[in-house]
Amino acid sequence: MVLALAGSLVHAGVGLQPTLNPAGWPQLRRFLAAAVEPAASPEFLRLTWEATLTTLAYAVLGTAMALGIGVVAGVVISETWWRRPPSGRSRRRGRVGEVGGWLASRLVVGLPRGVHEAVWGLFLVSILGLDPLVGVLAIGIPYGAVTAKVYAELLDEAPRGPFEALRSAGVGRVRALTYALAPLAFPDLLSYAFYRFECAIRGAAILGIIGAGGLGFQLALSFQSLRYDEMWTLIYALVAVCGLADWWSTTLRRRSALPTRTIAGLPAEREGHDSVVAIRPSLRRDRRLHASAVVAVALVVVSVWHLGIDVSTLWAPRAQRLASEIATSSLPPDLGAANLARLAALGVQTLEMSVIAAVAACVAGMVAAFAVAGGSDGSRPAGALRQVGAIGARGLLLVARAVPPPVGALLLLFVLLPGPLPGALALALYNAGILGRLMAEVVENLDPGPLGALRSQGASPGQGFVYATLPRTLPRFAAFGLYRWEVTIRETVVVGLVGAGGLGRLLGQQLAAFDYRGVTATVAALVVLTFAVDVVSAAVRRSLR
Amino acid sequence: MSGTDRLDVLEARTSPLRPRTARTGTSTPRPRTTVAPRRPRRRPVLVSVLVAVVVVLGGCGSADEATSGGGARNPVAPAGDQVFTIGAIPDQDPEKLQRLYGTVADYLSEELGVTVDYEPVTDYAASVSLFRAGDLDMVWFGGLTGVQARLQVDGAEAILQRGIDERFHSVFIANTATGLQPIDDLAGLAQLEGRRFTFGSESSTSGRLMPEHFLRQAGVSPETDFAGPPGFSGSHDKTIELVAAGTFEAGVVNEQVWNSRRDAGEVDPGKVTAIFRTPPYHDYHWVIRPDVAERFGDDFVDRVKAAFTGLDRSDPTEAEILELFGADEFIQTDNGNYAEIEEVAGDLGLIAR
């Protein structure tokens, strides 16, 4: 890992050639100064309000679709589903069927996952035209695939005893799953659903840049002519909506005593499962949960109506005609030797960007997480200074993940020289916002016992941190970081679109030239890369557990 | 800056894929109480806030629906629905035109006697796709994107341009600290070799296509001869800022944007300076789909032309439209004017041949 990082940094030119451009500081400062003077004319505020509702509606429907796909496909791609009952027939044939079926289904969901939602958006626009469904599908399809993968892992992680008992007794797969597995995994599935929702809000904002409306669209417009005051108003709106979603999820999880261990889809800790079983009865009676379910359904209905969704466009003759036109112009992909060599070289660059981004995001996220948790942790009340620090860090994290990576890339480009580094660091900043929040939750949920024991033995705060806090959080942090590494591969596309290098830059040029065969090949390369990173990071995560 | 003080007439319509209920700019959220669903008492704060969100979301939608007139267009409208849909990707102050487009749609509706829908789009590739799909009947394209769009739609026609588009120019700019000097002829562009250089958007005629053509004429091959690959900043304003910051030592922008920013005092002459004005070429123009004649009548294209060429500065609304497009006047054009662009685009691999 360290070697990969060092290699990436050296290749990106760090330390070998100048990377800083201090002369660009006034440009960056103008953007930062506008933070305290956002555009606030009544007209612009009304525009922001309406854009916020549209973004929210896209996020709600995109999440709903993702969860629908996630539940169905997640079951089908789980190892548990493919496992034969213990008393199965011919053992060897069964084993081949198990592994084969599981791998094939894995590949099927790997495909939509490797393609960024912005690319999905462009593809869908050329088939469906001006239709709000484009925005919903562009979020729903890739997020559905991610959700399916995570749900499959959660199901596989849930205690399998009751399920296998039912299966051995001859109960069908679907029923055994419904009665024995799903209830055990439910809290984790729910908390991940909320995490996805917050991601979908940000996803809808990035989609706006290709024309899916709402805050992202307005942000793209103001960004084109660098109206920083307008950009800040829109960013604050995004922060508010994300904050609201976060608050809904936290409230629900805390008050319903749902565990918060599986944010970002990481498997639950083993010892936690007793408590999952223990809270089962209270789940049933929880009114907040019921009320939230009602609200969620209402939000979906209202969003369908607000956006004017009409699914019949999907099978309209025109969509079929355009889809077949796109298929003929984009297949077969351009796989000539020259193009393959180019894809390999740029793929390495993309990989390097993703490594730098993931590691930097991890480090920054960790620092922020301890700052955030510093306001509330430990047995004694935190000092005023630490509380202020905690609030500040929380706010910074919120803003960091609300600034779309293309915007971040341009800002960094003011003070850094061109190359892959500004794009990588823009992704790092964005992902640090996400990771910091997830990591802070880990720190906050830490059992205070060991630290308290050390401190009462006379250990200094520093010693307590090093010997009690760090050892129990670092493996989890590393796991989060590895998970985001795969995501950053896909996201290099959006910073590539602003010229930050790698496969994303090539994709931008191919899209501008309507070189569909080239686009197909580049997208395929990104899918392969995502898949490879997924395999590596899954292996490392397994070894960390 | 005129961009912000004119937001007072801003019509808050949203996006190309915007909700069809959010059609008009005159909507106001309906008072919550009128549509508040029945809800039990003593709910936790959480639930009441969420309910309020639902209600407001719904309230807005319904208010929009109530006030939206004939302008509302069903995205899957039957063939008989006569709505003329237009879109534009302006290079200069996109946020102004895209947020004030109601003015343009209303004017054309009145002039043409048909419902006109303006769909704001920010992405070149998306707007070409929409033109090809038939969801946009007429689009304000750049030189290159217009050619790309016509190649994808048989019979599409370039009909109108602004006065300045007949002889459009790009301006090469440089950071003053580089010591790059103004040059008089194309060959002088060779001094940019070995410098950090940025174009604008990949699809831009004035920020990429023609400058790349002129650079090649001067013997500079962009992919190999600069210090590192050239940047694609994404817009002319970003190019100016990045060159002013010194991130890139030189860049190239649309002359109209450059002049407007310089005249508005937004460019620091101590940091960034113009070094070369390119030879002229054709740029922006309206391209119209061939099927409008059968849908709106044989003389429809002529009526569209008349609506634009007849824009009169003495009328406040019409003057505003001219200003939104950064136009002195609109004049006719035809496909033949873009033969050079097409040839250059072919040379640079930006269109399939």
Side-chain angles (χ1 to χ4, degrees):
Chain A
M1 197 70 210
V2 174
L3 278 180
L5 175 67
S8 304
L9 282 173
V10 167
H11 207 203
V14 177
L16 296 181
Q17 26 181 294
T19 44
L20 289 179
N21 176 40
W25 171 243
Q27 270 73 24
L28 180 59
R29 200 177 49 206
R30 277 210 306 137
F31 174 80
L32 296 176
V36 291
E37 283 179 87
S41 72
E43 291 77 18
F44 195 77
L45 290 180
R46 202 185 66 189
L47 177 110
T48 306
W49 169 246
E50 292 190 4
T52 306
L53 296 184
T54 301
T55 294
L56 205 56
Y58 276 119
V60 166
L61 293 184
T63 310
M65 185 180 161
L67 293 180
I69 294 175
V71 167
V72 175
V75 168
V76 175
I77 63 169
S78 65
E79 273 179 87
T80 313
W81 178 258
W82 293 97
R83 194 176 282 253
R84 307 215 152 246
S87 57
R89 287 162 292 162
S90 153
R91 242 190 130 61
R92 197 185 303 155
R93 267 187 52 204
R95 186 81 200 135
V96 171
E98 272 173 37
V99 175
W102 176 74
L103 257 184
S105 50
R106 246 7 271 251
L107 275 171
V108 169
V109 297
L111 200 79
R113 205 150 42 87
V115 181
H116 193 272
E117 50 264 38
V119 178
W120 274 110
L122 275 176
F123 169 68
L124 289 163
V125 157
S126 50
I127 290 177
L128 297 174
L130 279 173
D131 193 299
L133 262 181
V134 168
V136 176
L137 293 176
I139 298 173
I141 293 172
Y143 281 25
V146 179
T147 309
K149 178 197 159 198
V150 169
Y151 276 14
E153 277 166 15
L154 291 176
L155 287 176
D156 288 338
E157 287 290 325
R160 214 173 274 170
F163 174 76
E164 285 184 347
L166 281 184
R167 290 286 281 139
S168 320
V171 177
R173 281 199 283 206
V174 175
R175 291 181 66 190
L177 203 113
T178 316
Y179 291 107
L181 209 54
L184 294 178
F186 178 75
D188 296 342
L189 300 181
L190 183 74
S191 88
Y192 184 73
F194 270 104
Y195 172 74
R196 252 313 107 196
F197 180 52
E198 210 200 308
C199 291
I201 295 171
R202 290 191 297 266
I206 289 172
L207 267 183
I209 288 172
I210 61 121
L215 288 172
F217 174 74
Q218 301 298 345
L219 199 55
L221 278 183
S222 300
F223 182 47
Q224 254 177 307
S225 27
L226 303 180
R227 304 277 168 232
Y228 294 144
D229 54 340
E230 295 175 5
M231 287 169 69
W232 274 107
T233 307
L234 298 163
I235 287 171
Y236 287 139
L238 210 51
V239 166
V241 181
C242 285
L244 196 70
D246 195 17
W247 171 75
W248 182 5
S249 133
T250 314
T251 312
L252 200 60
R253 277 180 286 143
R254 290 233 173 102
R255 297 211 183 146
S256 305
L258 294 180
T260 53
R261 291 164 288 104
T262 53
I263 22 184
L266 285 171
E269 285 159 34
R270 279 283 166 213
E271 75 266 25
H273 282 296
D274 297 338
S275 65
V276 173
V277 179
I279 60 150
R280 272 270 297 131
S282 72
L283 258 184
R284 222 166 247 183
R285 290 193 302 268
D286 194 297
R287 287 162 91 198
R288 279 175 200 88
L289 200 61
H290 284 179
S292 287
V294 171
V295 171
V297 170
L299 274 173
V300 169
V301 172
V302 172
S303 299
V304 166
W305 171 58
H306 181 76
L307 294 178
I309 298 288
D310 179 356
V311 288
S312 69
T313 33
L314 282 180
W315 43 85
R318 192 189 74 166
Q320 288 172 11
R321 176 174 58 83
L322 290 171
S324 75
E325 278 177 26
I326 288 287
T328 36
S329 55
S330 51
L331 294 173
D334 177 4
L335 295 178
N339 194 38
L340 284 183
R342 179 169 66 165
L343 288 177
L346 293 175
V348 169
Q349 207 179 30
T350 292
L351 196 63
E352 288 167 352
M353 279 170 67
S354 75
V355 169
I356 298 174
V359 173
C362 236
V363 172
M366 254 166 71
V367 172
F370 285 120
V372 166
S376 62
D377 94 311
S379 35
R380 63 209 166 72
L385 195 67
R386 288 176 75 182
Q387 273 178 353
V388 170
I391 293 169
R394 208 176 272 278
L396 273 181
L397 288 177
L398 260 174
V399 173
R401 58 181 192 263
V403 174
V407 176
L410 182 83
L411 297 173
L412 285 165
L413 205 49
F414 284 144
V415 289
L416 296 172
L417 292 180
L421 203 59
L425 291 184
L427 286 181
L429 209 62
Y430 179 70
N431 282 292
I434 296 165
L435 279 173
R437 179 205 149 206
L438 298 176
M439 290 170 168
E441 250 171 271
V442 172
V443 180
E444 281 168 348
N445 292 342
L446 218 52
D447 176 9
L451 179 63
L454 269 185
R455 297 281 280 126
S456 64
Q457 301 284 322
S460 73
Q463 285 170 327
F465 179 76
V466 171
Y467 292 106
T469 310
L470 269 189
R472 287 180 304 146
T473 49
L474 276 184
R476 306 273 301 148
F477 287 178
F480 278 135
L482 285 165
Y483 172 78
R484 283 313 287 186
W485 180 26
E486 183 205 315
V487 181
T488 53
I489 288 270
R490 228 178 11 180
E491 286 174 342
T492 55
V493 168
V494 286
V495 293
L497 290 178
V498 297
L503 289 169
R505 181 189 155 95
L506 175 66
L507 190 64
Q509 292 181 336
Q510 289 168 329
L511 286 170
F514 294 91
D515 173 9
Y516 288 119
R517 284 182 222 287
V519 167
T520 317
T522 307
V523 168
L526 279 161
V527 170
V528 169
L529 209 53
T530 305
F531 207 76
V533 165
D534 181 30
V535 169
V536 172
S537 99
V540 178
R541 280 204 318 252
R542 218 169 291 136
S543 72
L544 280 175
R545 242 180 256 154
Chain B
M1 181 53 222
S2 63
T4 42
D5 58 25
R6 289 174 60 249
L7 280 173
D8 53 343
V9 278
L10 181 144
E11 286 231 57
R13 302 192 194 182
T14 44
S15 73
L17 308 175
R18 69 174 186 268
R20 74 168 171 259
T21 48
R23 256 319 118 156
T24 67
T26 53
S27 66
T28 37
R30 188 185 277 185
R32 292 178 190 188
T33 48
T34 55
V35 278
R38 228 159 25 91
R39 61 169 201 250
R41 279 182 198 162
R42 292 197 306 120
R43 275 281 186 230
V45 183
L46 163 74
V47 177
S48 41
V49 171
L50 292 173
V51 167
V53 168
V54 173
V55 170
V56 172
L57 201 66
C60 267
S62 63
D64 284 335
E65 196 146 73
T67 50
S68 70
R73 188 183 61 93
N74 191 322
V76 284
D81 190 355
Q82 296 301 305
V83 177
F84 182 54
T85 313
I86 61 173
I89 303 186
D91 238 6
Q92 187 186 356
D93 306 327
E95 85 289 353
K96 260 203 276 178
L97 179 60
Q98 304 296 59
R99 287 173 187 153
L100 294 165
Y101 57 75
T103 322
V104 184
D106 291 347
Y107 169 77
L108 285 179
S109 274
E110 205 170 299
E111 290 290 307
L112 300 173
V114 297
T115 307
V116 176
D117 227 12
Y118 184 111
E119 299 287 353
V121 188
T122 55
D123 186 88
Y124 278 118
S127 70
V128 171
S129 294
L130 292 172
F131 184 72
R132 166 196 175 127
D135 276 356
L136 293 179
D137 295 315
M138 185 172 83
V139 180
W140 179 241
F141 280 122
L144 170 61
T145 43
V147 167
Q148 290 175 325
R150 282 193 289 113
L151 285 174
Q152 299 196 23
V153 179
D154 281 341
E157 206 189 336
I159 55 171
L160 289 155
Q161 61 183 334
R162 299 169 302 183
I164 50 167
D165 294 315
E166 234 182 344
R167 293 179 64 79
F168 209 83
H169 303 265
S170 301
V171 173
F172 281 83
I173 57 173
N175 187 295
T176 47
T178 60
L180 287 166
Q181 293 302 315
I183 48 177
D184 310 321
D185 58 355
L186 265 182
L189 287 175
Q191 69 167 331
L192 294 174
E193 280 184 12
R195 299 290 188 166
R196 296 188 302 273
F197 184 87
T198 186
F199 291 115
S201 153
E202 279 107 332
S203 297
S204 172
T205 305
S206 55
R208 193 264 172 104
L209 180 82
M210 292 313 285
E212 180 164 353
H213 173 62
F214 295 128
L215 280 166
R216 283 175 191 274
Q217 285 190 339
V220 182
S221 176
E223 280 303 316
T224 52
D225 294 348
F226 292 127
F232 288 103
S233 71
S235 76
H236 302 294
D237 284 302
K238 292 177 198 166
T239 300
I240 296 173
E241 284 295 286
L242 285 168
V243 172
T247 305
F248 292 99
E249 293 168 291
V252 62
V253 292
N254 167 325
E255 184 184 41
Q256 194 190 14
V257 173
W258 172 255
N259 287 347
S260 130
R261 299 296 180 264
R262 189 196 52 200
D263 296 346
E266 292 177 4
V267 177
D268 181 352
K271 282 189 174 162
V272 55
T273 180
I275 55 168
F276 181 61
R277 182 188 199 223
T278 66
Y281 51 86
H282 278 90
D283 202 345
Y284 288 92
H285 53 286
W286 283 108
V287 181
I288 197 162
R289 281 181 64 89
D291 55 6
V292 292
E294 61 193 67
R295 283 166 56 209
F296 302 104
D298 289 339
D299 64 339
F300 189 73
V301 171
D302 288 333
R303 285 196 284 139
V304 172
K305 286 181 184 171
F308 275 96
T309 52
L311 282 166
D312 181 0
R313 278 218 166 269
S314 60
D315 178 282
T317 310
E318 297 180 23
E320 190 189 351
I321 292 172
L322 285 169
E323 201 191 313
L324 285 175
F325 281 95
D328 37 2
E329 56 170 347
F330 277 94
I331 58 175
Q332 298 206 20
T333 188
D334 59 68
N335 291 356
N337 283 336
Y338 308 93
E340 186 199 11
I341 302 263
E342 187 167 344
E343 198 187 313
V344 172
D347 288 344
L348 303 185
L350 286 165
I351 52 173
R353 268 190 167 161

